[in-house]
Amino acid sequence: MGSINGLVSPPGKRPLFSFGVISDVQYADIPDGHSFLGVPRYYRHSIHVLQRAVQKWNNHQNLNFVINFGDIVDGKCPPGQSLDAVKKVNNEFQKINGPVYHLIGNHCLYNLPRDKLLPLLKIQGLNGLAYYDFSPSPEYRIVVLDGYDISAIGWPQGHSKTLQALEFLEKKNPNSDKNSPSGLLGLDRRFVMFNGAVGKEQLEWLDGTLQDATKLKQKVIVCCHLPLDVVASSQEALLWNYDEVMNVIHQYNCVKACLSGHDHKGGYSVDSHGVHHRSFEAALECPPDTDAYGHIDVYDDRLLLFGTDRIQSTEMCFNP
């Protein structure tokens, strides 16, 4: 278990900073199962993947922080066990020697509403929102998006964001089961309830944040549970308004990479503006004694993702 996929660091250069990555742990104390596509899921084993990741990250000694890309527990978690399951997985994250930054995913929100989830994960969002940014070095800024800002899950039933999402789905998806993409064609297959959108205020915040990063000559890494590029992801997993988000990002030259989870199989692409997109393979889908986690070394002209087992190592180069 735990084999590192080969990648070589630039000779004579030290990274500006390094951080661990993992996505879609989706732990639940239930027997193994399958996705709706028939892919095996190992609900009890996934926490062992996280435990091995934590051990590896702590042994690394030069990691500055870890980013969890969302879905720490699964929607099939038995009723009444959600809070304990979230706490159990979160306790493993708290064993990391350094800060942990969480993204929220749909499975997190199936289990706990935002007002309970965000404080547990120490997400410092305003008004229940989970987008924020931080600068791990003067040269870089990490921007975390809330892909379920407009969503039919996680907000109270009569909340304006819930109602907006339900109205949107009613227009876009004719199925009685709004989690089903049946009959939807091409990119319209993303209009399902397990996805969501970035709202207007968050889009304006993103624009202002990228303006600020540009003034400070910072490079930016954007993180979102939901993928933002169709080549790096299946159509069914995309953010509802990924195109609007990318229109904002493409107005600037500062964004070098967009990192995500949610799609489970993983993917990589470089878009028409030279932005790298990497969606991470899911910890949930690791058979016993296999893993899916990694760490990224950040340089002025590249990101090096060192993957373990199911996570493919990836070199993302760009102009400094």
Side-chain angles (χ1 to χ4, degrees):
M1 74 181 73
S3 65
I4 293 285
N5 299 310
L7 201 65
V8 179
S9 301
K13 289 184 76 174
R14 289 177 59 85
L16 298 169
F17 60 94
S18 303
F19 63 98
V21 295
I22 194 167
S23 191
D24 299 275
V25 174
Q26 289 181 227
Y27 167 77
D29 187 13
I30 57 173
D32 296 343
H34 295 82
S35 72
F36 66 92
L37 294 173
V39 179
R41 292 184 163 183
Y42 304 92
Y43 296 105
R44 290 186 176 122
H45 174 253
S46 65
I47 199 167
H48 299 300
V49 177
L50 174 59
Q51 288 166 343
R52 291 192 289 268
V54 171
Q55 186 175 16
K56 191 69 176 265
W57 293 328
N58 285 343
N59 289 340
H60 185 283
Q61 295 184 333
N62 289 317
L63 288 189
N64 300 82
F65 56 92
V66 166
I67 299 181
N68 160 44
F69 280 80
D71 282 357
I72 63 173
V73 289
D74 195 84
K76 291 184 179 178
C77 191
Q81 293 185 21
S82 292
L83 183 59
D84 287 342
V86 171
K87 286 181 175 177
K88 182 174 180 175
V89 179
N90 196 36
N91 284 342
E92 298 301 327
F93 276 109
Q94 289 178 352
K95 295 175 184 175
I96 293 167
N97 298 331
V100 181
Y101 296 95
H102 290 279
L103 282 65
I104 56 170
N106 52 310
H107 284 268
C108 305
L109 298 171
Y110 297 148
N111 281 275
L112 292 177
R114 284 173 175 263
D115 59 352
K116 285 193 170 64
L117 182 69
L118 270 59
L120 271 174
L121 301 181
K122 295 184 171 65
I123 297 174
Q124 303 288 332
L126 294 173
N127 301 319
L129 289 161
Y131 59 86
Y132 55 94
D133 68 307
F134 62 99
S135 183
S137 78
E139 302 91 345
Y140 271 87
R141 189 178 302 206
I142 310 285
V143 170
V144 173
L145 298 180
D146 182 346
Y148 293 91
D149 178 352
I150 308 299
S151 169
I153 50 176
W155 297 106
Q157 197 170 357
H159 196 285
S160 60
K161 290 178 182 286
T162 308
L163 299 175
Q164 188 179 342
L166 290 171
E167 184 182 350
F168 178 83
L169 284 170
E170 201 58 45
K171 289 177 184 172
K172 296 289 189 179
N173 187 332
N175 296 308
S176 56
D177 176 7
K178 299 302 180 189
N179 274 317
S180 171
S182 179
L184 299 176
L185 300 176
L187 288 169
D188 283 356
R189 292 180 68 80
R190 73 188 190 274
F191 298 131
V192 285
M193 194 180 283
F194 57 75
N195 295 334
V198 165
K200 182 174 180 289
E201 286 183 7
Q202 188 179 171
L203 280 171
E204 290 170 354
W205 170 84
L206 174 63
D207 186 61
T209 302
L210 298 184
Q211 277 186 41
D212 191 49
T214 301
K215 286 177 191 169
L216 295 171
K217 295 183 168 53
Q218 290 176 321
K219 300 175 182 72
V220 174
I221 300 168
V222 171
C223 303
C224 184
H225 179 68
L226 293 151
L228 301 173
D229 184 79
V230 69
V231 182
S233 164
S234 63
Q235 294 163 332
E236 292 88 350
L238 289 166
L239 186 80
W240 288 343
N241 63 335
Y242 79 93
D243 46 351
E244 285 185 291
V245 172
M246 290 312 302
N247 283 342
V248 173
I249 287 172
H250 286 156
Q251 289 175 36
Y252 302 91
N253 294 319
C254 57
V255 177
K256 302 305 177 185
C258 297
L259 308 178
S260 62
H262 193 53
D263 194 39
H264 287 209
K265 72 181 186 298
Y268 172 65
S269 66
V270 183
D271 69 25
S272 59
H273 288 68
V275 177
H276 297 262
H277 295 260
R278 183 68 169 87
S279 61
F280 297 120
E281 295 79 355
L284 172 66
E285 293 178 2
C286 293
D289 296 331
T290 62
D291 289 318
Y293 60 84
H295 75 270
I296 295 178
D297 286 348
V298 178
Y299 297 86
D300 62 344
D301 63 347
R302 72 193 69 191
L303 307 181
L304 296 184
L305 165 62
F306 293 88
T308 304
D309 285 354
R310 290 189 67 247
I311 289 202
Q312 294 296 310
S313 294
T314 311
E315 182 174 37
M316 297 169 257
C317 298
F318 41 81
N319 292 326

